Amino acid sequence: MAWGESKSWMRGSAHQKLYQGLLDHATEAPARNAKRRKILHPEDMPWEMSRQGLLKHLLNEQMNTRMETVDAYMQIIPPGSRSGKHRHLAEECLYVLEGRGYDLHQDCDVEITDTYHWKPQDEIKRYEWEAGDVIYVPPNVIHQHFNASADKPVRLISAINRIYKHAGLNDLEQLEDAPEYDPKVVLTAQLVERYLRAKVKEPA
């Protein structure tokens, strides 16, 4: 054979139809998607008492919906409370449905070489928000949401892109738990309602 390197690249006897698998996956997409939901009702959206706080998941990769790229949840922060504190490589936006409060953001210096390192900057920035506002969280920023009201809950809708996770960059780190977090609690709508009723001060 004319190629001098043939002894190297001609080695191996494994056979696998990997490209055909890609074609099959694309061909089967319509039938696969037909079984995935386009409409979710409130009872289809799971509750979670998470380290980040009280969540109602709207879209998630594990919920068998047609959404390919975005995860979304509603977060409820009781009066006078706060979310957990975390950071992630993906940027995030949150729509303030109800209430008022503020965010604390801490930028990080990032170095990506053969390894990945991040270091928090000294400055912590405060951003005020209220119902109708959109909160933008840049990539890799340590952040936390605070309810500034002593008698009314906050509700936020969070949306974040899954692409980072699928690219092997699911760099999510929890730095502080929400005060309400309890791993033993199985959250339900009734529990959330009872909890908020206990925290909300009814007008006289």
Side-chain angles (χ1 to χ4, degrees), residues 29-189:
R32 185 171 58 250
N33 285 336
K35 299 175 183 176
R36 299 165 73 189
R37 294 178 289 186
K38 284 188 175 181
I39 302 295
L40 280 85
H41 303 291
E43 56 271 19
D44 301 322
M45 304 172 191
W47 292 95
E48 182 180 4
M49 178 69 86
S50 75
R51 295 180 65 186
Q52 187 62 7
L54 292 96
L55 308 181
K56 186 176 180 69
H57 292 280
L58 311 178
L59 292 167
N60 188 279
E61 190 172 10
Q62 300 181 56
M63 289 170 61
N64 194 35
T65 73
R66 288 289 296 270
M67 180 59 68
E68 296 281 1
T69 57
V70 174
D71 287 329
Y73 58 74
M74 178 169 62
Q75 177 154 21
I76 302 167
I77 305 177
S81 192
R82 62 191 183 275
S83 72
K85 181 195 293 184
H86 69 185
R87 60 158 202 92
H88 37 75
L89 197 54
E91 61 186 353
E92 178 184 15
C93 67
L94 301 101
Y95 178 71
V96 185
L97 281 172
E98 177 183 12
R100 61 181 178 84
Y102 61 93
D103 266 29
L104 294 182
H105 289 191
Q106 188 173 14
D107 293 329
C108 294
D109 295 322
V110 178
E111 181 182 352
I112 302 176
T113 53
D114 289 342
T115 56
Y116 168 72
H117 303 280
W118 61 275
K119 181 181 177 183
Q121 296 179 2
D122 292 333
E123 184 182 11
I124 298 176
K125 301 171 185 174
R126 175 171 168 146
Y127 299 96
E128 308 279 340
W129 43 256
E130 61 183 12
D133 290 343
V134 169
I135 305 164
Y136 172 67
V137 180
N140 210 48
V141 167
I142 297 169
H143 55 282
Q144 191 168 23
H145 317 297
F146 292 79
N147 186 344
S149 172
D151 57 3
K152 292 181 180 177
V154 155
R155 285 191 300 133
L156 308 171
I157 298 288
S158 164
I160 193 166
N161 203 309
R162 294 180 199 157
I163 288 176
Y164 285 85
K165 181 171 65 175
H166 289 298
L169 297 170
N170 186 31
D171 184 34
L172 170 64
E173 184 172 3
Q174 196 74 30
L175 303 171
E176 179 185 315
D177 292 343
E180 293 75 32
Y181 174 62
D182 183 343
K184 299 185 293 296
V185 170
V186 177
L187 204 59
T188 65

